[in-house]
Amino acid sequence: MDLQNRKAKHVPALERGARILDLVARSRSFLSLSDLSRELKIARSSVHVLCHTLINLELLIRRNDQTFQLGPHVMRWSNAFTLQSDVATEFASIWDQETELPGATITLTVLEGAEVVYIAARNSELSNTRINFRTGMRLPAAFTATGKAFLSHMSDFEVRRLYSEGLPPMRTSRSVQGVDELLKELQDVRRMGYSCDDEQVAEGIMCFGAAVLDSRNRPIAGVAVSLPNEAVDDSVQQKAIANVQRIARQLSHRMGADLHSAANSAHPGKQ
């Protein structure tokens, strides 16, 4: 179906109702009819009718001051979405079609305390001889690409609290050696939008990672692409970074993340 046919099948009232719900959800203050009309550039009379319908459907609640907030029916959808979504299943459904690096190992992790736990992995023969990622495997978050992606969403204070007793023992001579050095790396992750483990977990292996966000735009998983160092030139590195960012965005979208909001909000810094 081409773009013109898709537009022809849109229901304008439904689309406007969805825009109202999106705006109410994003706003940091409660909005009135006039606010909604002005922000969405929709006639006030039309907004009134749409809001009345959304209230009857329990998708909006009218507050005593005549402003609006999301209604309880939205939570039913949210709960259903959570029950029906499985990040590991979604990861498995896209890892082959999205991978442009046939020699790469692709992994998916979750954060538990100061460690990442691997919940899915597709190992390649090229990297398998140096480290074999497997489901259930645990590694220090401070050294791994996915762990750094998780940690970059924390404030410096939270990272220091997590490592109040210092970092775990180094895995290689290139492993980050102190909290201050780790915080500098996390600043780079926030700035660049991806993380890197350059032989910090295993000698001869370079990994690029990114966080998978949920419907609250919080990291729920990390995805990484790993390659032998000798296979990584500038072209391969850029392709690996683009690949892992694309997989992370697709997974985040399927998990309900607001990617536009995530792109425009800064990661926590020195708090």
Side-chain angles (χ1 to χ4, degrees):
M1 184 182 296
D2 60 29
L3 181 60
Q4 185 175 355
N5 286 336
R6 287 200 302 270
K7 287 184 176 180
K9 290 182 178 294
H10 281 181
V11 179
L14 183 58
E15 186 175 11
R16 289 178 177 180
R19 289 174 61 199
I20 288 173
L21 293 173
D22 282 342
L23 182 56
V24 171
R26 290 197 307 268
S27 178
R28 296 186 178 182
S29 60
F30 298 115
L31 303 176
S32 65
L33 277 175
S34 297
D35 295 329
L36 292 170
S37 175
R38 181 179 61 256
E39 292 291 331
L40 297 174
K41 296 180 173 55
I42 301 174
R44 195 175 189 277
S45 58
S46 297
V47 173
H48 174 77
V49 172
L50 288 167
C51 287
H52 182 71
T53 302
L54 293 172
I55 289 169
N56 287 339
L57 293 173
E58 295 188 325
L59 293 170
L60 281 183
I61 292 175
R62 190 193 301 271
R63 294 161 46 84
N64 291 335
D65 60 359
Q66 302 304 301
T67 58
F68 299 94
Q69 68 182 67
L70 292 181
H73 202 112
V74 175
M75 184 57 68
R76 296 172 206 158
W77 288 344
S78 175
N79 291 338
F81 179 83
T82 300
L83 290 172
Q84 294 170 13
S85 299
D86 182 332
V87 66
T89 300
E90 297 292 342
F91 175 71
S93 73
I94 68 171
W95 66 3
D96 284 321
Q97 66 190 41
E98 282 300 316
T99 302
E100 299 175 355
L101 301 163
T105 286
I106 309 173
T107 54
L108 185 73
T109 69
V110 293
L111 185 69
E112 287 193 6
E115 295 181 316
V116 292
V117 181
Y118 289 78
I119 60 174
R122 191 198 67 178
N123 285 285
S124 75
E125 293 182 1
L126 289 177
S127 59
N128 193 37
T129 56
R130 299 174 189 179
I131 183 169
N132 181 27
F133 295 102
R134 61 191 182 278
T135 301
M137 184 178 185
R138 291 173 174 268
L139 287 174
F143 305 150
T144 65
T146 56
K148 295 177 196 294
F150 273 111
L151 297 175
S152 72
H153 283 261
M154 297 182 182
S155 68
D156 287 2
F157 173 79
E158 290 171 316
V159 174
R160 288 189 183 279
R161 184 172 59 184
L162 182 64
Y163 293 108
S164 60
E165 298 182 3
L167 299 185
M170 298 166 60
R171 284 184 57 91
T172 75
S173 61
R174 296 178 66 93
S175 298
V176 60
Q177 297 184 31
V179 177
D180 288 339
E181 184 181 343
L182 174 62
L183 291 176
K184 290 179 181 178
E185 288 192 12
L186 298 182
Q187 289 177 6
D188 291 336
V189 176
R190 295 172 188 132
R191 176 177 53 84
M192 298 183 300
Y194 67 89
S195 56
C196 180
D197 151 28
D198 188 359
E199 297 188 273
Q200 292 197 30
V201 167
E203 292 182 356
I205 293 293
M206 179 176 284
C207 304
F208 302 96
V212 177
L213 308 180
D214 64 8
S215 59
R216 298 174 295 174
N217 280 8
R218 297 179 182 177
I220 56 169
V223 61
V225 170
S226 305
L227 288 158
N229 262 26
E230 65 269 16
V232 181
D233 56 20
D234 288 344
S235 175
V236 171
Q237 177 170 322
Q238 292 307 311
K239 186 177 290 187
I241 293 167
N243 190 253
V244 76
Q245 289 179 318
R246 182 168 59 252
I247 293 176
R249 283 195 301 269
Q250 287 198 332
L251 284 171
S252 297
H253 177 71
R254 296 190 186 189
M255 293 298 104
D258 182 350
L259 297 179
H260 177 75
S261 175
N264 288 299
S265 61
H267 286 315
K270 296 182 178 181
Q271 299 175 12

